[in-house]
Amino acid sequence: MRKTFQKWLLLFVAGAFILTLCLSFYLQTREANSNSIDLIDLKLDDAVKQIKLNTRNVEAIRIMTESEALAKARALAEIILNNPDVLKEKGWPGRMEKILDVDEVHIINKDGIIVASSSATGYDMRSNAQSKEFLAGLGNPDFEYVQEAQPRGMDQEIFQYTGVSRLDETGIVQIGYYPTRLANAMSLADIENLADGFRIGNHGSILITKSGIIVSSIDEKLLGLRMDSFGIQSGTLNKKEPFYATIEGVKYLCKPKIFSPYVLIGILPVDEMYVSRNEMIRSIVFSNTILFGIVFLLVSFLVDRVVISGIFHVNRSLEKITEGNLDERVNVRSNPEFVSLSDGINSTVSALKDAIAEAAARIDKELEFAREIQLSSLPTLFPPFPDRTEFDIFAAIFTAKEVGGDFYDFFMIDEDHLTIVIADVSGKGIPAALFMMTSKTMIQNLAESGRSPAEIFTDANRHLCENNEAEMFVTAFLGILEISTGKFTYVNAGHNKPLFRQSLKAYDWIQTKPGFILAGLDTTQYKQTEIILHPGDQLFFYTDGITEAMNQSGALFGNDHLKDFLNSPEVINYNPADLIHVVKEEIDIFANDAPQADDITMLALQYKGHGIS
Amino acid sequence: MEIHEMKEGNKLSITLSGRLDTITAPDLENKLNSSLENINELIFDFSALSYLSSAGLRVLLSAQKRMNRQGSLVIHGVNETIMEIFEATGFTDILKIE
């Protein structure tokens, strides 16, 4: 039972351990996911803020650059107004370029032709779309125009033109310059360079896509690739929800953010997401192993102390009780439940004991009644035939505690014939008692019908063999005394040979060979023997209760003891009643309080004939 | 009492030692009930048997009745005490004692 309990406890603790682990894993995973998404969101917000900031910077620099350029152009127009002749000076435009810190100076006349320039004199502004834009201002005295900066030449460097109306005549003053700061700011603000500035965690980054194509990424290999080549459709991006995708063989957690016309996608390797979770789980496993181990040992120890040893004691007592020791008390007092259990068992056992004792007492009572009925069927009135002086008869039965099957009987068949019977039914208890009654009645009936002793036993045996399922048998001795002649005809069915004392001689056993027991085999034929009794002759019949009476050390009373006692000088001449009494006394002395195991039955018959009164 | 059994084909030899009385007779009875199937030669060895009560006689009688139907029963090694009991009860008439 201790093993079983520990097995279940271990199962339970292991279950709790796994459950806790699963729960921690689930919570930590959720936490890791949510943290990762927060991290990506944060970075995406930063990126968007950076974009906005950059845009504002570019705008500020643009305004500054524009106003500076306009101031320079206006100053140039003023110089020409005050001194128109400068236009004719060779080298003037070059000088002005240096003074104004610009790269080109062009003076355009009313026809849109460059009249003064360090590099393009005579150029018709109408011949190019870019330069043509400025001609819209011809004739407008308030014309001021800063053209969009645009890449130019082989290296596509940003270049800008600004122009204002001439103040001296119709025409335009135009300056051209590299807007370095603006270009720098614009380059900085270029969204396509933005991704370089952002990392998410250690290996995460931001992808910037436009129309589903990657336009900015730390990993240059990705530039220009289409998102759907990674299985990411524009619909997924527009949902703004996190998703997983495998890019270049690495699995990422991805979160899109729309910043029109771009979609920024924060990506974080899944491995990295779970680094801290895995560490957490490792430490939880470690600490839980120790914790649950302690819980297991503690519970196992406590339950063993509080419950199992108690149950062990209770079980041991219950085993003793089951084996029949109803005096066993259960006494486990380690806690109130066991006290109540112990008391409950004790009172149940005690009630059971009382019930058994009561039943036993009832059965004893009934057996006593049975015994009384059995004994009352035996003749116990002595002298039984007070007017018959030809013989003296006495008999006694001393019953053992348990009901036995001994009996004796004697009755007159007619005026001249006395029948005596002594018998012992094998076995004990009610079956033996019932079989004894049957045997006794049957023998008496057969005897009273006038049969000879041999006929009586032969017939009785046959009847007793019928329906003898219990295979009981009877040893019996029957004799019929013809009173007038002293002829004693007897038959012995396996019974103890009687002791015979011919007058003035010693007791000795009748030497006739006994026949087979009654109720053994239905084919048994009994033979009878005749002897003649003379006045003074005495017969002593008994059952094996005498010869097998046992003393404290287990020794048997024995045949020789009986014969010697009967032949002792003070006993040898006792009449039947006295003889039976002294034999009983002698047996009691021998037994010395050892319990009597079997019925003791004796019958003594003295033949007096007509000679002795 | 100890019961020692030896079986050779249809022959069963049983050696008894100690007392065959009310207490031990049921053991022998159970043993015989379970072993006598298909036995046509039953041999008892009583040389180590010290006492025989009426309960023991009952088992012997029952065994004799059964062996009357299916074969033979022989008892060996009957000592004086037990022989007296057999004689006194008439069992010598029905048992084959060698």
Side-chain angles (χ1 to χ4, degrees), chain B residues 58-98:
Chain B
R58 187 176 148 265
V59 177
L60 282 184
L61 174 59
S62 159
Q64 180 64 58
K65 280 184 184 170
R66 181 157 181 189
M67 293 314 293
N68 282 345
R69 290 196 299 274
Q70 62 188 68
S72 64
L73 166 68
V74 180
I75 304 176
H76 289 292
V78 178
N79 67 27
E80 207 179 322
T81 321
I82 290 174
M83 198 57 165
E84 272 177 26
I85 294 169
F86 282 156
E87 278 169 358
T89 50
F91 267 72
T92 41
D93 291 348
I94 65 143
L95 295 173
K96 193 175 175 194
I97 299 163
E98 289 181 348

Side-chain angles (χ1 to χ4, degrees), chain B residues 2-60:
Chain B
E2 276 180 36
I3 304 172
H4 190 77
E5 251 185 324
M6 201 175 75
K7 195 176 168 183
E8 288 173 58
N10 294 332
K11 177 176 163 186
L12 177 69
S13 303
I14 294 177
T15 306
L16 298 179
S17 55
R19 294 166 57 90
L20 181 57
D21 55 20
T22 320
I23 315 278
T24 57
D27 295 344
L28 180 62
E29 188 173 18
N30 291 337
K31 182 73 82 182
L32 289 173
N33 281 340
S34 61
S35 306
L36 283 184
E37 188 83 12
N38 297 327
I39 296 294
N40 56 27
E41 196 178 349
L42 175 63
I43 300 167
F44 279 115
D45 185 347
F46 278 10
S47 41
L49 192 68
S50 59
Y51 177 79
L52 181 65
S53 79
S54 62
L57 288 173
R58 187 176 148 265
V59 177
L60 282 184

